[in-house]
Amino acid sequence: MPDRDFYDTPSPGKEPGAGRGAERSTETEAERRRRRAQFLRDLAEARELRDRVQPRRAKAARLRHAMRMRTFRW
């Protein structure tokens, strides 16, 4: 179909990462790691909160994980 080619081909200058290129050059590796560490801390905190709020679901998830680990072949 000719109209499908239009959607598959990105327009020039509208690439997903085009606007972030200049921002990336000024960002240091340490800043990126700091932001990533903060994100991972927030994610862990959210998981702990969810586990406290939904203990039954958390227990089921722990049991499923334990079953997967028991059946995993090293």
Side-chain angles (χ1 to χ4, degrees), residues 42-56:
D42 292 345
L43 184 62
E45 182 182 350
R47 284 185 180 143
E48 289 171 7
L49 176 63
R50 187 184 61 202
D51 290 350
R52 281 197 309 271
V53 173
Q54 301 173 336
R56 187 180 299 170

Side-chain angles (χ1 to χ4, degrees), residues 5-16:
D5 189 36
F6 171 75
Y7 295 108
D8 295 339
T9 308
S11 58
K14 299 288 184 184
E15 297 169 13

